[in-house]
Amino acid sequence: MTNALALGHQAQLCTDAASPIDTSSEPFEFVSEDVRKTGLHIERAGIRGTRSHDAADVRDGPYSVAGTIVMEPTPVELAIWLPRILGAAADGNTYALAETVPDFVLCIDRISKVFTYTGCKVNRCVFSGSAGGMLQMALEIVGKTEAAVGAAGSFPALTIVEGSSYIFSDVVLTLTSARGIANFDLTIDNHLIADRFLNAVTLAEIPEGDRTITLRAMPAYDTDNTDLYGQAVAGAAGTLIFEIATVYRTTFTFAKLQAPPESPVVGGKGEIMLPLTMIARQSGETKELVVTHESLAV
């Protein structure tokens, strides 16, 4: 019998607000994923007159569901993920932070079998980019259960909505004025509490813990950017914009960005750069981050 290989380029991924996964679900193009069930075997630790352990003395223990999905998202795909990252549903073109984040169902066709994960939430999202490349979105997922694996061919017939993705030259970082940068990463961390197994082998719930938002960037340490070193502790407002001209604009607006001083250093004969690690914090009643995601098509 000929062995049917499972090749990565054949894989598919989709999500839905709830079960079942069907032809109305949301398919995504993705770069990689490592969302998996990780189980635990439990055995007694007593004295048994030998150093050998008996196989009959083992029970299934709790299991966790976690992993990261890496994507190069289109604006259409971002509109689906922003509420899951920030918490609040869209209000027109505006996506706000909320005290909780919604859960969803994740389905991955790994060719030989189809895996479905329920009770999933976005623990951490990292947007990143560097000169000459695509913008990437890495979604760290925590879930409750790995449902019964479906047979090959049971993934629903879905069509990905094609469209232009953001690239690094679409990025504009404004800190008082627009700044040229070599790279950046924006991390939105929901600090999910992922150890509430209680008296069950799966998580009872996945509550939100703290929330931290960190923006890192690497501008040149030239005369245009010397003001970015040793900033006042009070911080200042800033924006990070992704824009495809006449197509779409995504604006991350920060109430206050506070940057502890980190000196530039000489790492060789190349250009001296200034590392910036900025923490976004609330200012008065203004939340630390608001995202505006809008079509520019006429």
Side-chain angles (χ1 to χ4, degrees), residues 8-17 21-33 69-85 104-109 120 122 137 139 141 155-163 165 293:
H9 71 270
Q10 300 170 309
Q12 299 179 83
L13 180 151
C14 71
T15 64
D16 209 320
I21 294 290
D22 56 27
T23 54
S24 65
S25 299
E26 305 140 342
F28 299 96
E29 181 174 324
F30 66 103
V31 175
S32 65
E33 62 83 16
I69 302 168
V70 178
M71 303 174 60
E72 295 164 339
T74 65
V76 171
E77 292 170 339
L78 267 184
I80 297 171
W81 283 105
L82 283 170
R84 294 170 177 170
I85 297 164
F104 58 94
V105 178
L106 170 67
C107 186
I108 306 171
D109 181 2
C120 296
V122 176
M137 178 175 70
L139 299 159
I141 306 299
F155 193 86
L158 299 171
T159 301
I160 293 173
V161 178
E162 301 294 346
S165 296
H293 188 55

Side-chain angles (χ1 to χ4, degrees), residues 110-128:
R110 296 177 175 134
I111 315 308
S112 297
K113 294 285 185 179
V114 175
F115 293 74
T116 301
Y117 301 96
T118 61
C120 296
K121 290 184 176 182
V122 176
N123 183 37
R124 181 184 294 112
C125 173
V126 181
F127 295 98
S128 63

Side-chain angles (χ1 to χ4, degrees), residues 95-261:
Y95 297 77
L97 295 171
E99 292 302 296
T100 61
V101 293
D103 62 17
F104 58 94
V105 178
L106 170 67
C107 186
I108 306 171
D109 181 2
R110 296 177 175 134
I111 315 308
S112 297
K113 294 285 185 179
V114 175
F115 293 74
T116 301
Y117 301 96
T118 61
C120 296
K121 290 184 176 182
V122 176
N123 183 37
R124 181 184 294 112
C125 173
V126 181
F127 295 98
S128 63
S130 59
M134 303 288 295
L135 294 192
Q136 284 199 333
M137 178 175 70
L139 299 159
E140 182 182 301
I141 306 299
V142 175
K144 290 182 179 178
T145 67
E146 181 182 84
V149 291
S154 61
F155 193 86
L158 299 171
T159 301
I160 293 173
V161 178
E162 301 294 346
S164 297
S165 296
Y166 291 119
I167 61 176
F168 188 67
S169 58
D170 296 328
V171 175
V172 178
L173 173 63
T174 300
L175 304 170
T176 309
S177 60
R179 311 287 179 158
I181 54 175
N183 56 62
F184 83 95
D185 64 73
L186 169 62
T187 301
I188 302 165
D189 194 333
N190 289 310
H191 295 275
L192 298 179
I193 299 170
D195 60 358
R196 299 197 77 250
F197 289 99
L198 304 182
N199 55 326
V201 295
T202 59
L203 288 171
E205 56 183 330
I206 309 173
E208 294 73 15
D210 199 3
R211 179 176 58 228
T212 54
I213 298 175
T214 306
L215 175 61
R216 296 181 179 86
M218 190 72 74
Y221 186 61
D222 55 23
T223 53
D224 287 341
N225 292 322
T226 54
D227 62 315
L228 294 177
Y229 177 69
Q231 299 176 50
V233 69
T239 60
L240 179 69
I241 298 175
F242 310 155
E243 182 173 334
I244 305 173
T246 74
V247 179
Y248 239 94
R249 180 191 298 122
T250 306
T251 303
F252 299 82
T253 301
F254 305 96
K256 290 287 185 180
L257 288 169
Q258 297 174 296

